[in-house]
Amino acid sequence: MGIQITPSILNADLSRLADEVARIPSADWVHVDVMDNHFVPNLTLGLPVIEALSKHASQPIDVHLMIEDADRWAPAYAEAGCGSVTFHAEAAKAPVRLAREIRAQGSRASMALKPATPIEPYEALLPELDMLLIMTVEPGFGGQKFLDLCLPKIRTARELMRKHGVETWLQVDGGVSLETIERCAEAGADVFVAGSAVYSADDPDAMVRELKATAEAASA
Ligand code: DX5
Ligand code: ZN
């Protein structure tokens, strides 16, 4: 599939979501962060807003659920037509069943790991997943500093995917910018969430293209 950029709208102007998404035509996906004030200390938006936004976005929605009880709530996002649904390993009681439910609705199933959660215990799950998200900040807020300590986990995840012969995408989220994206791409990431880097740029779409070109050069 190659390198993909999925800008997070968390730091966009939330009062004008459709307009903000229209500013990034070069993006491959639109990353939407759902937070419940329990799994993370922040509250954002949920299904009704995503349903409304998806009618106006030309790209598919890449929803990142930072919520407790993912088993209960995640399938509805797949049913609503999100192209990719990410739940957190730390919030899922039955991740295999949940991934299968998401896929059964026609969405890509993805699982996220917080910075302190290792990949090794989840190795056997990789064939059940279309994407693995490795958080490169503690989830909850945009604009945080990239955590270099997550790079070895990206490398390990990529090696495990090769070992199992799976085509799982490897996404990174948190502090991704022109300064940090090369390190992630070199380590094996191929899907890049960027929030503040894109929406604080004078030309968000030019930033999307620049991020993509930089990651492509680093992964080549
Ligand atoms: C943080 C969210 C991210 C956030 C990224 O918990 O999952 O998607 O919006 O923002 P930046 O790119 O500014 O770190
Ligand atoms: Zn996110």
Side-chain angles (χ1 to χ4, degrees), residues 31 33 64 66 173:
H31 183 88
D33 293 297
H64 176 193
M66 285 160 276
D173 181 7

Coordinates of all heavy atoms in Angstrom, one line a residue, residues 31 33 64 66 173, ligand 2:
H31 N -8.2 11.1 10.5 CA -8.1 10.4 11.8 C -9.0 11.2 12.8 O -8.8 12.3 13.0 CB -6.6 10.4 12.2 CG -6.3 9.7 13.5 ND1 -6.0 8.4 13.5 CD2 -6.2 10.2 14.7 CE1 -5.8 8.1 14.8 NE2 -5.9 9.1 15.5
D33 N -10.3 11.2 16.7 CA -10.0 10.7 18.1 C -11.2 10.8 19.0 O -11.7 11.9 19.3 CB -8.8 11.6 18.7 CG -7.5 11.4 17.9 OD1 -7.0 10.3 18.0 OD2 -7.0 12.4 17.3
H64 N -10.1 6.4 16.0 CA -9.2 6.0 17.1 C -9.9 6.1 18.4 O -10.2 7.2 18.9 CB -7.9 6.8 17.1 CG -7.0 6.5 18.2 ND1 -5.9 7.4 18.5 CD2 -6.9 5.5 19.0 CE1 -5.2 6.9 19.5 NE2 -5.8 5.8 19.8
M66 N -10.3 6.0 22.1 CA -9.6 6.0 23.4 C -10.7 5.9 24.4 O -11.0 6.9 25.1 CB -8.8 7.2 23.5 CG -7.5 7.1 22.7 SD -6.7 8.7 22.3 CE -7.7 9.1 20.8
D173 N 1.2 7.4 16.0 CA 0.3 8.5 16.4 C 0.9 9.2 17.6 O 1.0 8.6 18.7 CB -1.1 7.9 16.7 CG -2.1 9.0 17.0 OD1 -1.8 10.2 16.9 OD2 -3.3 8.6 17.4
Ligands
ZN2 ZN -5.2 9.4 17.6

